[in-house]
Amino acid sequence: DFTEMMRALGYPRLISMENFHTPNFMLVSEVLLWLVKRYEPQSDIPGDVETEQDRVFFIKAVAQFMATKAHIKLNTKKLYQADGYAVKELLKVTSVLYGAMNTQGGERADPPEEDSSKFKFDLGSKIADLKAARQLASEITSKGAVLYDLLGKEVELREARTESIARPLEINEAEKVMKIAINSVLEEVQKTKDMLNNVALDEANLEAKIEKRKLELERSQKRLQTLQSVRPAFMDEYEKIEEQLQKQYSTYLEKFRNLTYLEQLLDDHRRTEQEMFEEAANMLRLIQNRLKEEEQHLLKSGSNDDSDIDIQEDEGSDSEGDLQIVRHRISTEALLQGRAGARIVGSMQGGDTEED
């Protein structure tokens, strides 16, 4: 948005956000000076930013100008950083100029360099003139009402004024009034002196209280030092119990790790047994299905030939034998798996003779 606004306002150079990834004070100062000149061509802000003092003076001058003329509050710290945070501050001024240009029906295209200086829009001065005109109008109205009331009383006041001017000045009355004024002044002076005396008394009381608090603080500090230097009677027992607690905690951690490891091994063993059992069940199911299919096939293809019947009976007997062998093997494996956790007592050594 900032680059598009600057291009629409007619800034002669191309600006991208990559220029503000690192601090670039020269570009920020150039943009600020161009915006100030665009806002008010008659401004006299110096553009020298060679030294650190000149940069600080330049930033302060620009911020003060924008605050007084355009009522735009700029953050001087972010402007001095001259990075991405400075773009947010520049966007405040740019958005005002861009909105004013759109209000006046300005074109969004980039104007030439020679025509950019011809665009003059003194928005700050017009706002200031408008505020001054409103203030003057309100003052004129109020002063006119007061003047009208005073002119209405002019008939009565004129007689009183002429009588006061015509009446001779009496010295006694003037002396009396002066004495009253002197007495009032003396009373005020006496009151002021009494207040000063009271202040002195209050100060003395406060100093006494401060000294008292200091003494109490010193006593408390000494007592604290004595208490810190004394070792409690139960400290030895506390240290022994703490050492025992550390040992018990280390033992607890070791047992907890061992228990966790054993539980994991048990879960693995159970999972392995379950997988073997499922595999054996699947194998048995497949064999049963195959045998059923063979029996159905034999029943459908029955023949009257005795030799064929004998052969089929022999094959059936072989199939039944195979089924019995598989069942015996599965039952043996299940028995061995059930006895896997049992303890076997014996030795690996043979007998002395072949019979043994």
Side-chain angles (χ1 to χ4, degrees):
D1 295 338
F2 175 72
T3 56
E4 293 295 330
M5 287 181 182
M6 291 297 292
R7 189 180 297 110
L9 289 173
Y11 188 71
R13 291 178 55 184
L14 294 175
I15 302 175
S16 64
M17 294 308 296
E18 295 179 359
N19 299 126
F20 299 96
H21 286 171
T22 58
N24 192 354
F25 190 86
M26 300 303 294
L27 180 58
V28 173
S29 62
E30 183 180 354
V31 172
L32 279 174
L33 189 60
W34 186 84
L35 290 173
V36 170
K37 293 293 183 182
R38 189 66 181 271
Y39 196 93
E40 187 174 355
Q42 290 82 14
S43 61
D44 55 349
I45 295 177
D48 188 11
V49 290
E50 294 296 330
T51 62
E52 182 179 357
Q53 188 175 1
D54 294 336
R55 294 181 178 182
V56 173
F57 181 78
F58 174 78
I59 294 295
K60 287 183 178 180
V62 171
Q64 187 176 2
F65 175 82
M66 288 297 172
T68 55
K69 295 293 184 181
H71 300 282
I72 298 173
K73 186 177 180 181
L74 299 177
N75 193 337
T76 55
K77 291 184 179 179
K78 292 183 179 179
L79 286 174
Y80 191 80
Q81 289 177 1
D83 52 2
Y85 293 101
V87 177
K88 296 181 180 179
E89 303 300 322
L90 294 174
L91 191 59
K92 296 178 182 179
V93 184
T94 309
S95 59
V96 173
L97 293 175
Y98 186 76
M101 187 184 69
N102 290 334
T103 304
Q104 293 294 327
E107 296 179 355
R108 293 178 180 270
D110 295 338
E113 279 189 52
E114 54 187 14
D115 295 333
S116 62
S117 61
K118 296 180 181 179
F119 182 79
K120 296 180 180 179
F121 187 78
D122 194 359
L123 183 62
S125 61
K126 291 187 180 298
I127 293 174
D129 294 340
L130 180 61
K131 289 185 177 180
R134 288 180 179 176
Q135 187 176 1
L136 288 173
S138 61
E139 289 180 359
I140 289 169
T141 305
S142 60
K143 293 293 178 65
V146 173
L147 183 60
Y148 178 78
D149 294 336
L150 292 176
L151 289 174
K153 297 178 182 179
E154 177 62 20
V155 178
E156 298 176 0
L157 295 176
R158 188 185 300 164
E159 296 177 358
R161 186 170 58 251
T162 54
E163 288 179 2
S164 298
I165 293 172
R167 188 177 61 184
L169 183 63
E170 294 182 0
I171 298 175
N172 294 327
E173 291 182 359
E175 186 177 359
K176 191 176 183 179
V177 171
M178 291 297 293
K179 285 182 179 179
I180 293 171
I182 290 169
N183 291 330
S184 63
V185 172
L186 290 175
E187 288 178 0
E188 290 180 357
V189 171
Q190 187 64 32
K191 288 180 180 179
T192 306
K193 287 182 179 179
D194 293 339
M195 291 174 67
L196 291 173
N197 293 328
N198 292 331
V199 169
L201 292 174
D202 293 339
E203 186 177 358
N205 293 329
L206 288 173
E207 288 180 354
K209 289 181 180 180
I210 290 170
E211 292 294 332
K212 185 178 179 181
R213 297 293 182 186
K214 286 182 178 178
L215 294 174
E216 290 179 358
L217 179 62
E218 290 179 357
R219 287 197 296 270
S220 300
Q221 289 179 351
K222 289 180 180 178
R223 185 177 179 184
L224 178 62
Q225 290 177 359
T226 54
L227 290 174
Q228 288 178 351
S229 61
V230 175
R231 183 179 176 85
F234 58 86
M235 201 65 188
D236 296 335
E237 184 179 0
Y238 173 77
E239 290 178 354
K240 291 179 180 179
I241 294 172
E242 188 175 7
E243 291 178 358
Q244 293 177 2
L245 179 62
Q246 291 292 336
K247 293 179 181 178
Q248 292 293 333
Y249 183 69
S250 61
T251 305
Y252 166 74
L253 288 178
E254 184 178 358
K255 290 183 178 180
F256 182 77
R257 287 195 295 267
N258 295 334
L259 178 62
T260 305
Y261 177 70
L262 292 175
E263 288 178 352
Q264 185 179 1
L265 291 178
L266 181 60
D267 293 337
D268 295 339
H269 182 67
R270 288 176 179 175
R271 193 180 301 109
T272 306
E273 287 182 351
Q274 185 66 24
E275 290 176 356
M276 292 174 65
F277 178 75
E278 291 177 357
E279 184 178 357
N282 292 330
M283 186 182 296
L284 180 61
R285 194 179 299 111
L286 292 174
I287 292 171
Q288 289 176 354
N289 293 331
R290 185 168 63 83
L291 293 175
K292 287 180 181 180
E293 290 177 357
E294 290 179 356
E295 289 176 358
Q296 291 176 0
H297 181 70
L298 291 173
L299 290 173
K300 289 181 181 179
S301 62
S303 176
N304 295 323
D305 191 5
D306 294 339
S307 61
D308 294 337
I309 292 173
D310 293 338
I311 293 170
Q312 289 176 0
E313 288 178 356
D314 294 338
E315 291 179 355
S317 62
D318 294 337
S319 301
E320 291 178 358
D322 294 338
L323 178 61
Q324 291 178 359
I325 291 169
V326 172
R327 288 179 180 176
H328 183 267
R329 184 181 299 172
I330 292 171
S331 61
T332 305
E333 290 179 357
L335 182 61
L336 291 175
Q337 289 176 3
R339 295 182 179 180
R343 186 176 179 182
I344 298 171
V345 180
S347 63
M348 299 297 293
Q349 295 178 358
D352 295 335
T353 62
E354 292 181 358
E355 296 177 357
D356 295 334

